[in-house]
Amino acid sequence: MQRAARSAVCGAARVPPARFFRAAPPVLAADKEALLELRRRTGLPFLQCREALRRCGGELGQVNCETDFVARNAEFQRLVEQAALGTMAHCRAAAAPPTCCTKHLLREDELAQLQGGDGGTLLSDHLALAIGKLGENLILRRAAWLRVPEEDGYIAAYAHGWLPAAAPVAMGTYGALVACRVTEPRPPAATLEEVGRKVAQHVVGMAPTAVGTPQDQPRGEEETRLLAQSFLLEPGLTVGQFLGARGALAVRDFLRFRCGEEPPGRGG
């Protein structure tokens, strides 16, 4: 991926950290409606749907596909690659080279109409083929891209969780992109990569909702502004203080994805 433009994609399959064999508790009558609805949405066996509901305390709005077979399958990974490359192409065609940071969130209908990395076939067609080959229900739920000016921009990235070997795009349970401005004098590339990755890792771990300013005063554990949060890797500093001390990057914007989360405005 180029430095000045990166994309993130979220699907409906994620990888559980481990597999356990146990006797599943009985499903109460009150849970049957949720079980049937989950079965209808995913097409997965009742036992897997019941286990997914059990892990989520019976709350249907937090449940997504839980099969590692899907996420570890090469066909699924190719679909994710096609979606990521299609999103990148959408980013490049969206407008002239940016003079500031720009961001765009793609809805399901927009994402379905993108062309995949092959430059011809629609993602909706790639999705239909993958569903047919895997025999599992899949949803390309959302995607997003960030752009920054080429001359002073830098996009940091971090993916957390299971990562397939030699994957053409980064995959994981959590991911973050951070759009930054490079400070002068320009630091070495290794410094930019190190500092940027640490900030993106913080975004994954602490889930800020806004950038804020370096002058913001911290508000404790409830702080949601990135630059005022206690830095994940050096708790004695705020993120703003960490960046000020390193003198490499200034944060402009960020994206954070958690596999399976609902897009904004849809609840869950």
Side-chain angles (χ1 to χ4, degrees):
M1 301 242 176
Q2 295 184 355
R3 183 185 67 209
R6 291 200 178 183
S7 64
V9 179
C10 183
R14 75 175 179 85
V15 182
R19 288 276 187 129
F20 299 94
F21 295 91
R22 68 181 71 178
V27 177
L28 301 178
D31 299 329
K32 286 185 178 179
E33 184 177 348
L35 178 60
L36 291 173
E37 174 64 16
L38 184 58
R39 164 68 175 170
R40 184 190 65 79
R41 289 187 190 179
T42 66
L44 295 175
F46 277 107
L47 288 177
Q48 291 187 16
C49 293
R50 180 168 59 183
E51 178 64 12
L53 283 170
R54 184 195 65 78
R55 286 200 296 267
C56 293
E59 297 182 22
L60 182 61
Q62 296 175 12
V63 177
N64 285 274
C65 177
E66 298 268 342
T67 55
D68 58 356
F69 165 78
V70 174
R72 294 180 184 274
N73 185 277
E75 190 65 35
F76 176 81
Q77 293 173 22
R78 279 192 292 270
L79 176 63
V80 174
E81 178 186 358
Q82 294 291 327
L85 295 177
T87 301
M88 178 66 73
H90 182 275
C91 171
R92 290 172 176 160
T99 57
C100 61
C101 174
T102 56
K103 176 170 64 175
H104 182 70
L105 303 177
L106 286 86
R107 303 182 307 271
E108 285 183 30
D109 56 341
E110 290 181 290
L111 189 56
Q113 295 305 306
L114 294 184
Q115 293 180 341
D118 54 15
T121 308
L122 296 180
L123 285 181
S124 57
D125 295 329
H126 283 290
L127 178 64
L129 288 173
I131 291 174
K133 290 180 179 180
L134 292 171
E136 300 275 1
N137 190 44
L138 305 173
I139 301 171
L140 285 174
R141 177 167 286 169
R142 64 175 182 145
W145 51 254
L146 281 173
R147 297 181 78 192
V148 293
E150 186 71 29
E151 60 274 10
D152 69 346
Y154 183 83
I155 295 181
Y158 176 76
H160 178 80
W162 169 77
L163 299 172
V169 298
M171 301 183 192
T173 308
Y174 296 84
L177 300 177
V178 182
C180 304
R181 176 178 58 82
V182 179
T183 59
E184 294 294 340
R186 190 178 184 91
T191 300
L192 294 179
E193 182 177 359
E194 176 197 1
V195 174
R197 185 179 186 277
K198 287 181 177 180
V199 176
Q201 185 176 358
H202 173 96
V203 170
V204 164
M206 300 303 292
T209 59
V211 175
T213 70
Q215 293 74 39
D216 290 335
Q217 295 299 311
R219 297 182 297 206
E221 294 183 0
E222 289 74 32
E223 182 60 70
T224 58
R225 297 166 298 176
L226 171 62
L227 297 179
Q229 287 182 322
S230 177
F231 186 42
L232 181 66
L233 303 179
E234 296 185 36
L237 300 175
T238 65
V239 175
Q241 290 168 343
F242 166 76
L243 290 173
R246 298 303 298 266
L249 296 171
V251 176
R252 287 170 158 168
D253 207 342
F254 62 87
L255 284 167
R256 180 185 185 272
F257 272 24
R258 176 177 61 82
C259 188
E261 68 186 338
E262 291 285 346
R266 289 185 51 176

